[in-house]
Amino acid sequence: MATDHPIPPAGQAKLGTLKMGLPLIGLTGGIGSGKTAVSDLLAQLGAGIVDTDLIAHQITASGGKAIPLIQDYFGTEFIDSSGALDRAKMRSLVFQNLEAKKALEAITHPLIRQETLRQAGQLADAGAPYLLLVVPLLIESGTWIDQIDYLVVVDCPEEIQIQRVMHRSNLTRTEVESILKAQASRQERLALANAVIDNQGELSELKSAAQELHRKILGIRKP
Ligand code: ATP
């Protein structure tokens, strides 16, 4: 990492407004709780989805907007042979180095906000009945939360999160547990929820819960 470089200036881009005359639904939940599974089901029902995690991956994939900035600040050793961010290397750096974490966020957050607004505008123009904004750290970061009309939390016991993430991402129990520790607790999330999707059961149960949520959201009308 180029430690002699100052941290890049924090996002100059204004947060902007996601209020597009549509209900703005926030979807959050801990790692592996099932946010993607729920948003995929709601997308099939016609929801307009903006997934900030997906955007974060896109901007750090090969050719992504964040790559030249990351390369410039952290050095080429953080870019893999395909031209994408070396996630494992960056993850281990930012876990132990707060300055590096802030620098990475100062690069990525403004780009994520910009793309979030662009996609939200596109979905509103295309006639989506509501916008579902998927943000893993919605509660922790504070970004967007003031604009949200209705907060949906995907929830399941931590042990299920651990098992699913170990299986999906090939991480060790210790790695998943340390990610969990850095996130808000289940109780903190549940305390803010307008609706909770319980995802400890089968995918078929999740499908019914998503259908019910979709109907409920369609009943929410923007002022
Ligand atoms: P992350 O926070 O890591 O982005 P997430 O909250 O989006 O995760 P998913 O990716 O939807 O969670 O789910 C985590 C893993 O668990 C995936 O492999 C998914 O297929 C699986 N999964 C989700 N829900 C269920 C379920 N009800 N039954 C079985 N497997 C599930």
Side-chain angles (χ1 to χ4, degrees), residues 30-37 53 164 168 199 201-203 206:
I31 183 165
S33 55
K35 297 177 291 295
T36 306
D53 208 24
R164 286 181 183 158
R168 181 200 59 189
N199 186 26
E202 301 291 319
L203 283 170
L206 189 65

Short mmCIF file of all heavy atoms in Angstrom, two decimals, residues 30-37 53 164 168 199 201-203 206, ligand 1:
data_model
loop_
_atom_site.label_atom_id
_atom_site.label_comp_id
_atom_site.label_asym_id
_atom_site.label_seq_id
_atom_site.Cartn_x
_atom_site.Cartn_y
_atom_site.Cartn_z
N GLY A 30 -27.89 -9.46 8.18
CA GLY A 30 -26.49 -9.82 8.38
C GLY A 30 -25.94 -10.65 7.23
O GLY A 30 -26.69 -11.06 6.35
N ILE A 31 -24.65 -10.90 7.29
CA ILE A 31 -24.02 -11.69 6.23
C ILE A 31 -24.71 -13.05 6.10
O ILE A 31 -24.99 -13.71 7.10
CB ILE A 31 -22.50 -11.86 6.49
CG1 ILE A 31 -21.86 -12.63 5.32
CG2 ILE A 31 -22.21 -12.53 7.84
CD1 ILE A 31 -20.35 -12.55 5.28
N GLY A 32 -25.02 -13.41 4.86
CA GLY A 32 -25.60 -14.72 4.60
C GLY A 32 -27.01 -14.91 5.12
O GLY A 32 -27.53 -16.03 5.13
N SER A 33 -27.68 -13.82 5.51
CA SER A 33 -29.04 -13.98 6.06
C SER A 33 -30.04 -14.32 4.96
O SER A 33 -31.09 -14.91 5.24
CB SER A 33 -29.47 -12.69 6.80
OG SER A 33 -29.34 -11.58 5.93
N GLY A 34 -29.72 -13.92 3.72
CA GLY A 34 -30.62 -14.24 2.61
C GLY A 34 -31.13 -13.01 1.86
O GLY A 34 -32.15 -13.07 1.18
N LYS A 35 -30.38 -11.91 1.93
CA LYS A 35 -30.81 -10.67 1.24
C LYS A 35 -30.93 -10.90 -0.27
O LYS A 35 -31.91 -10.49 -0.90
CB LYS A 35 -29.80 -9.53 1.50
CG LYS A 35 -29.69 -9.13 2.95
CD LYS A 35 -28.64 -8.06 3.16
CE LYS A 35 -27.23 -8.56 2.92
NZ LYS A 35 -26.76 -9.59 3.87
N THR A 36 -29.92 -11.56 -0.85
CA THR A 36 -29.96 -11.78 -2.30
C THR A 36 -31.10 -12.71 -2.66
O THR A 36 -31.82 -12.48 -3.65
CB THR A 36 -28.62 -12.37 -2.78
OG1 THR A 36 -27.57 -11.50 -2.35
CG2 THR A 36 -28.57 -12.50 -4.29
N ALA A 37 -31.29 -13.76 -1.83
CA ALA A 37 -32.39 -14.70 -2.10
C ALA A 37 -33.72 -13.95 -2.09
O ALA A 37 -34.56 -14.14 -3.00
CB ALA A 37 -32.38 -15.81 -1.05
N ASP A 53 -24.43 -4.04 -2.95
CA ASP A 53 -23.33 -5.01 -2.86
C ASP A 53 -22.88 -5.42 -4.27
O ASP A 53 -21.69 -5.53 -4.56
CB ASP A 53 -23.83 -6.25 -2.10
CG ASP A 53 -22.70 -6.95 -1.39
OD1 ASP A 53 -21.69 -6.29 -1.09
OD2 ASP A 53 -22.82 -8.17 -1.12
N ARG A 164 -24.31 -21.27 6.26
CA ARG A 164 -24.57 -20.94 4.85
C ARG A 164 -23.38 -20.21 4.22
O ARG A 164 -23.04 -20.47 3.07
CB ARG A 164 -25.84 -20.08 4.73
CG ARG A 164 -27.11 -20.90 4.95
CD ARG A 164 -28.37 -20.05 4.80
NE ARG A 164 -29.57 -20.85 5.07
CZ ARG A 164 -30.74 -20.35 5.43
NH1 ARG A 164 -30.89 -19.03 5.55
NH2 ARG A 164 -31.78 -21.12 5.66
N ARG A 168 -21.19 -21.37 1.16
CA ARG A 168 -21.22 -20.58 -0.08
C ARG A 168 -19.86 -20.00 -0.45
O ARG A 168 -19.47 -20.03 -1.61
CB ARG A 168 -22.23 -19.43 0.07
CG ARG A 168 -22.35 -18.57 -1.19
CD ARG A 168 -22.95 -17.21 -0.90
NE ARG A 168 -22.15 -16.48 0.06
CZ ARG A 168 -22.52 -15.33 0.63
NH1 ARG A 168 -23.68 -14.81 0.34
NH2 ARG A 168 -21.74 -14.71 1.48
N ASN A 199 -35.84 -16.19 7.66
CA ASN A 199 -35.26 -17.09 6.65
C ASN A 199 -34.50 -18.24 7.29
O ASN A 199 -33.38 -18.54 6.90
CB ASN A 199 -34.36 -16.29 5.68
CG ASN A 199 -33.86 -17.16 4.54
OD1 ASN A 199 -34.50 -18.15 4.18
ND2 ASN A 199 -32.71 -16.81 3.97
N GLY A 201 -36.01 -21.20 7.42
CA GLY A 201 -36.64 -22.42 6.88
C GLY A 201 -36.17 -22.73 5.46
O GLY A 201 -35.10 -22.31 5.01
N GLU A 202 -37.03 -23.47 4.76
CA GLU A 202 -36.73 -23.88 3.38
C GLU A 202 -36.93 -22.70 2.42
O GLU A 202 -37.65 -21.76 2.73
CB GLU A 202 -37.72 -24.98 2.96
CG GLU A 202 -37.70 -26.23 3.82
CD GLU A 202 -36.40 -27.01 3.63
OE1 GLU A 202 -35.94 -27.12 2.47
OE2 GLU A 202 -35.83 -27.48 4.63
N LEU A 203 -36.32 -22.85 1.23
CA LEU A 203 -36.48 -21.79 0.22
C LEU A 203 -37.94 -21.63 -0.20
O LEU A 203 -38.37 -20.53 -0.57
CB LEU A 203 -35.59 -22.07 -0.98
CG LEU A 203 -34.10 -21.74 -0.75
CD1 LEU A 203 -33.22 -22.27 -1.87
CD2 LEU A 203 -33.90 -20.23 -0.59
N LEU A 206 -39.49 -19.27 2.06
CA LEU A 206 -39.01 -17.91 1.78
C LEU A 206 -39.80 -17.31 0.61
O LEU A 206 -40.13 -16.13 0.60
CB LEU A 206 -37.52 -17.95 1.45
CG LEU A 206 -36.83 -16.59 1.34
CD1 LEU A 206 -36.85 -15.86 2.67
CD2 LEU A 206 -35.38 -16.74 0.85
P1 ATP B 1 -24.27 -11.63 1.91
O1 ATP B 1 -24.52 -10.79 3.11
O2 ATP B 1 -23.04 -12.44 2.08
O3 ATP B 1 -24.32 -10.88 0.62
P2 ATP B 1 -26.99 -12.54 1.64
O4 ATP B 1 -27.63 -11.98 2.85
O5 ATP B 1 -27.27 -11.88 0.32
O6 ATP B 1 -25.44 -12.74 1.84
P3 ATP B 1 -27.70 -14.99 0.30
O7 ATP B 1 -26.53 -14.90 -0.61
O8 ATP B 1 -29.06 -14.74 -0.26
O9 ATP B 1 -27.45 -14.07 1.58
O10 ATP B 1 -27.75 -16.40 1.04
C1 ATP B 1 -26.55 -16.96 1.59
C2 ATP B 1 -26.42 -18.40 1.15
O11 ATP B 1 -27.45 -19.15 1.75
C3 ATP B 1 -26.57 -18.57 -0.35
O12 ATP B 1 -25.74 -19.63 -0.77
C4 ATP B 1 -28.04 -18.95 -0.52
O13 ATP B 1 -28.27 -19.75 -1.65
C5 ATP B 1 -28.29 -19.74 0.77
N1 ATP B 1 -29.67 -19.60 1.26
C6 ATP B 1 -30.37 -18.46 1.46
N2 ATP B 1 -31.57 -18.73 1.96
C7 ATP B 1 -31.66 -20.06 2.10
C8 ATP B 1 -32.67 -20.96 2.56
N3 ATP B 1 -33.85 -20.54 3.03
N4 ATP B 1 -32.39 -22.28 2.54
C9 ATP B 1 -31.21 -22.74 2.10
N5 ATP B 1 -30.22 -21.96 1.64
C10 ATP B 1 -30.43 -20.64 1.65
#
